[in-house]
Amino acid sequence: SAVISQKPSRDICQRGTSLTIQCQVDSQVTMMFWYRQQPGQSLTLIATANQGSEATYESGFVIDKFPISRPNLTFSTLTVSNMSPEDSSIYLCSVQHGYGYTFGSGTRLTVV
Amino acid sequence: QKEVEQDPGPLSVPEGAIVSLNCTYSNSAFQYFMWYRQYSRKGPELLMYTYSSGNKEDGRFTAQVDKSSKYISLFIRDSQPSDSATYLCAMSDQAGTALIFGKGTTLSVSS
């Protein structure tokens, strides 16, 4: 299966600032998925990122708030912009590889 | 009604017990069913993958899918303290599309 390196693993940020999360995959993949996991909640899909095209966002998530970069088949970034305490969550990237999907280790974000 | 329902627990069992974890879903188009294990402060790790209905066994783990009832299960035999984690069910209707997750069940196995 694919191995994903996700960073940072955690961060504490001031409200109004932005944080960029990076995911590097050890093999080429077509689709990358970005999820948010709020305390006590299931993983919620933010967007699907395909190399060479704009990301597709789920209802409730917009590009201005969560811009995504997908410059090649092994790398993607998610930016959480103009943060508020409600953005405190775990953010995860994921790829499909063979059977099943592999996840990064997550970025635990706290906004103060 | 949410697409995927999963009892969040917590579930506490003694070492050696048989654990049963379950999810129900509403979308009859789901064909790919997975169980993930997530330790604290870690990303989800794939445990079991099943396509369509049927059973799949891997060591102490057995996954069952009943599409007619829209019900999936994960059984853990001879549970160990190292099995203490959150277990997430996930499913999709097409290969390569994003997964829909249950809330996760927190399991604690005491020695």
Side-chain angles (χ1 to χ4, degrees):
Chain A
S1 63
V3 176
I4 301 176
S5 173
Q6 182 174 346
K7 54 184 179 182
S9 59
R10 61 190 307 161
D11 208 341
I12 301 173
C13 300
Q14 297 290 322
R15 68 175 67 201
T17 63
S18 298
L19 175 72
T20 296
I21 301 166
Q22 299 180 7
C23 277
Q24 177 75 52
V25 190
D26 68 347
S27 58
Q28 294 185 338
V29 293
T30 304
M31 299 286 218
M32 290 185 75
F33 306 97
W34 287 95
Y35 291 86
R36 181 173 71 182
Q37 187 177 26
Q38 294 180 306
Q41 302 296 316
S42 62
L43 278 75
T44 300
L45 181 68
I46 297 172
T48 301
N50 196 357
Q51 193 267 336
S53 62
E54 279 203 8
T56 303
Y57 289 82
E58 296 299 299
S59 176
F61 298 96
V62 295
I63 188 171
D64 290 345
K65 176 69 175 176
F66 298 100
I68 288 172
S69 165
R70 185 79 202 278
N72 57 53
L73 292 174
T74 64
F75 187 78
S76 180
T77 66
L78 170 76
T79 299
V80 186
S81 302
N82 188 25
M83 288 184 286
S84 66
E86 291 71 34
D87 294 320
S88 298
S89 189
I90 299 172
Y91 293 84
L92 296 140
C93 60
S94 175
V95 301
Q96 186 199 15
H97 196 270
Y99 296 108
Y101 295 66
T102 301
F103 284 81
S105 55
T107 297
R108 183 178 295 269
L109 171 62
T110 302
V111 183
V112 297
Chain B
Q1 180 190 12
K2 291 188 181 294
E3 275 198 288
V4 180
E5 299 275 5
Q6 182 177 8
D7 186 342
L11 182 61
S12 296
V13 302
E15 183 175 358
I18 297 174
V19 176
S20 172
L21 304 169
N22 311 293
C23 287
T24 59
Y25 61 94
S26 57
N27 187 348
S28 58
F30 286 147
Q31 301 185 77
Y32 301 88
F33 303 93
M34 281 148 266
W35 286 95
Y36 283 83
R37 178 175 62 195
Q38 186 174 26
Y39 292 113
S40 180
R41 302 184 186 278
K42 300 287 186 183
E45 168 197 12
L46 180 65
L47 271 181
M48 300 291 283
Y49 173 98
T50 308
Y51 171 71
S52 193
S53 284
N55 296 354
K56 186 173 183 179
E57 186 173 323
D58 184 1
R60 296 186 294 111
F61 299 91
T62 299
Q64 291 185 349
V65 174
D66 182 348
K67 290 190 70 179
S68 62
S69 303
K70 299 191 183 69
Y71 187 88
I72 70 171
S73 301
L74 177 71
F75 296 95
I76 307 173
R77 291 182 298 280
D78 186 25
S79 56
Q80 303 295 310
S82 59
D83 294 328
S84 299
T86 297
Y87 291 80
L88 299 147
C89 63
M91 48 200 80
S92 71
D93 56 354
Q94 298 179 43
T97 60
L99 296 174
I100 306 298
F101 282 85
K103 271 193 174 185
T105 300
T106 300
L107 171 67
S108 176
V109 182
S110 56
S111 56

